[in-house]
DNA sequence: TTGTAAGCGTTATCAG
DNA sequence: CTGATAACGCTTACAA
């Protein structure tokens, strides 16, 4: 059915060995130019496609990497994967993509399958819901001897490579920007304390306030997780204060946008025109005119994949945590104090 | 290193055959319950993970499907992939995801790799830029005997399974909706004539007008491709007419949103408040309050994958084109005539 | 009821 | 410079 090495060999009147040598450009051994030419010609004519399964069985390498993500719904995650794709294409690696649907059990099952497929390595993008089970996943990978890089969480930086963005610095930039616009009453819509990224952003917020000698008030930190309902409620409360915030720093653009959707019309109108800087710079952030801290997720993905390939090449390197720079994208929502509704 | 069948067999004091029989639940042959129990226990204890490569080499099946997409940047595409994931998970299939970066050559190369990896089938989400080379891709797949399902294009419905959404009907719904709001001067921001979906949407637009006895005017159809620059220019022209449109039907929400970004401020302000119905219902469509035709891309992905599995099971079925229903999501931008700027 | 042996397509080794 | 042979890990006839 499918053309095999042996078929090409017979047709070209040589042995399978020779075919293999020619097609894999083994320059270590000298091949008669005429033989080489003939084999190549025959292989092309017959449409020979080497069976990578067989090769992998022998070599122990599949040129295949597993990617575990919470879900593709987030365009942030999608861009990370896009970055991986790009880098993978350049190294002839294929990506086996699996999403966990935010479910640790699904994640475990999917990883098991990836290992049975003998992936050469695994890239894990952590999500809030699968964070707790991450140590278990890492343990399994270590036992299987399969290298791994974690994206967006550095709580296991001692054991495993990770790639994150400079969240604390990004948050500090955002809040400092608002301060420079004259704001003093700046609230923070937080992503909670479950993820290290959310914690870092809160920490950056506090640092920026401190540097400007603005006292930190815990009541002005809203939101305990990336959940929309909680965020909306918290915003509602802030807006209704006698002296409401004049500006907001949101730990996540999507959280901000969706929370606004869930508000009462009056509050929603207020916040749509509020001074705000968000985080993650989704594509819609531009459409909404929201200033945002951009992490260039593609770069995260690319860096993670490159790191994984290095790790596969040199398993003995000490684990390393890469922190990629972020940059602030200024848009309409960067309003000076006093220019917008409260 | 990695535990093999043979290791388990030795440890359990049986032959590899027995291990295989037990772990694959071959009920055709009777196994001593005691043997069965012991083998299972030993396999679990040793952490045995069957090597799917070896199994595939023998069986000719890899439980692996190739997915070719233009790019993950589009959340529409991302959702299609998400749907596939969901369905794949339920059938123990893994997805090898590759993006073409809108480049036919990359697509060709990626598909070649997928075939070398012996995927059991391929799912192709067409993009404007890779549409021209689709016949060539299909030819290669046919020659390789690898089943395939095309999503979002039905120009090859006779040769190959395809899954699309009811674009003409969706467009008709959208425009009829605007007509019911009292509009008569309705423009269409088109995706051009390159893709069958864009053509269908234009055709639905015309049909809705016709049913309402509103004469069709080709000057009111703007945009010749999904390119932003072209769209912006066309919109600018329409807005500047002495009697501009009172409503717009956009072939794509993203195209609309990005075109508006590129307009001069005055025109942008006008269009941000215009009566408009878009298409594809991106997540940001909700944030912007744009009414939109929703194709439930997840369903597309799920249906496509299911179809592919059926096709793999029964290669002889005649090719079929599935048209999935769409539904109109009404939001703020559904303004009655006269209520909005021009 | 279980074991032996062959073979899937490839490449590494070594002999010629 | 090229060919024979074995081996990767698994499943499956067939034999015991």
């Amino acid at each position: 059915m499918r053309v095999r090495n042996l078929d090409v060999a017979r047709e070209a009147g040589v042995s399978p060995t020779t075919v293999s040598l020619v097609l894999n450009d083994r320059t270590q051994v000298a091949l008669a130019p005429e033989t080489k030419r003939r084999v190549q010609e025959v292989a092309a004519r017959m449409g020979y496609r080497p069976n990578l399964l067989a090769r992998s069985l022998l070599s122990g390498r599949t040129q295949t990497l597993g990617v575990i993500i919470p879900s593709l719904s987030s365009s942030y995650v999608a861009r990370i994967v896009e970055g991986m794709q790009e880098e993978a294409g350049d190294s002839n690696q294929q990506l086996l993509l699996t999403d966990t649907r935010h479910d640790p059990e699904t994640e475990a099952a999917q990883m098991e399958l990836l290992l049975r497929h003998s992936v050469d390595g695994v890239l894990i993008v952590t999500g809030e819901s699968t964070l707790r089970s991450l140590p278990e996943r890492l343990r399994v990978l270590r036992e299987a001897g399969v290298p791994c890089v974690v994206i967006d969480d550095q709580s296991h930086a001692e054991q495993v490579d990770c790639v994150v963005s400079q969240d604390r610095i990004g948050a500090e930039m955002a809040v400092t920007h608002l301060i420079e616009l004259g704001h003093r009453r700046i609230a923070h819509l937080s992503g909670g304390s479950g993820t290290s990224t959310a914690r870092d952003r809160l920490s950056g917020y506090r640092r920026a306030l401190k540097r400007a000698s603005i006292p930190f008030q815990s009541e002005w930190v809203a939101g305990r997780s990336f959940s929309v309902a909680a965020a909306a409620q918290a915003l509602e409360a802030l807006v209704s204060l006698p002296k409401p915030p004049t500006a907001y720093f949101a730990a996540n653009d999507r959280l901000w946008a969706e929370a606004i959707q869930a508000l009462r019309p009056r509050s929603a109108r207020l916040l749509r025109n509020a001074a705000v800087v968000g985080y993650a710079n989704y594509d819609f952030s531009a459409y909404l005119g929201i200033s945002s801290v951009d992490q260039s997720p593609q770069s995260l993905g690319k860096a993670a994949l490159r790191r994984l390939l290095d790790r596969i090449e040199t398993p003995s390197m000490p684990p390393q945590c890469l922190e990629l720079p972020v940059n602030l994208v200024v848009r309409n929502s960067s309003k000076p104090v006093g220019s917008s509704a409260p």
Side-chain angles (χ1 to χ4, degrees), chain A residues 116-187:
Chain A
R116 293 182 177 206
H117 275 287
S118 309
V119 292
D120 295 335
V122 174
L123 294 151
I124 300 184
V125 181
T126 61
E128 198 173 10
S129 43
T130 48
L131 201 56
R132 266 193 50 220
S133 54
L134 184 57
E136 173 65 7
R137 296 284 79 69
L138 295 181
R139 195 185 58 72
V140 172
L141 285 170
R142 202 172 336 111
E143 282 184 4
V146 174
C148 166
V149 172
V150 174
I151 294 108
D152 258 12
D153 176 85
Q154 49 182 319
S155 27
H156 303 83
E158 280 85 36
Q159 314 167 39
V160 71
D161 293 309
C162 57
V163 177
V164 300
S165 54
Q166 299 184 330
D167 276 316
R168 187 175 295 122
I169 293 179
E172 208 174 337
M173 280 167 53
V175 177
T176 301
H177 172 63
L178 288 170
I179 292 173
E180 283 167 355
L181 289 168
H183 296 279
R184 286 295 175 273
R185 302 209 305 279
I186 303 172

Side-chain angles (χ1 to χ4, degrees), chain A residues 3-12 14-52 55 92:
Chain A
V3 180
R4 301 160 305 167
N5 182 326
L6 186 63
D7 301 320
V8 176
R10 278 211 263 263
E11 182 78 9
V14 296
S15 78
T17 307
T18 306
V19 172
S20 176
L21 291 178
V22 169
L23 297 183
N24 292 303
D25 250 344
R26 284 276 164 282
T27 44
Q28 342 169 356
V29 291
L31 287 159
E34 158 57 14
T35 311
K36 191 168 167 182
R37 201 201 49 74
R38 196 170 69 249
V39 169
Q40 284 172 331
E41 189 262 321
V42 171
R45 181 160 51 76
M46 301 182 74
Y48 171 60
R49 242 186 297 265
N51 187 332
L52 296 187
R55 180 185 297 179
N92 263 336

Side-chain angles (χ1 to χ4, degrees), chain A residues 62 64-68 94-98 113-114 117-119:
Chain A
T62 55
T64 276
L65 304 174
V67 179
I68 299 182
Q94 289 285 339
L95 298 188
L96 277 168
L97 183 74
T98 58
L113 254 183
L114 289 179
H117 275 287
S118 309
V119 292

Side-chain angles (χ1 to χ4, degrees), chain A residues 322-341:
Chain A
L322 237 63
E323 288 198 66
L324 299 193
V326 299
N327 74 300
L328 178 65
V329 181
V330 175
R331 302 202 176 90
N332 278 339
S333 76
S334 290
K335 306 187 186 182
V337 66
S339 76
S340 70

Side-chain angles (χ1 to χ4, degrees), chain A residues 2-5 11 33 57 66 99 101 145 171 208 214 233 249 255 276 285 312 328 332:
Chain A
R2 178 165 161 183
V3 180
R4 301 160 305 167
N5 182 326
E11 182 78 9
L57 191 54
D99 63 6
R101 301 177 224 175
I214 301 174
Q233 205 178 346
F249 166 53
L255 186 61
V276 56
S285 306
I312 292 171
L328 178 65
N332 278 339

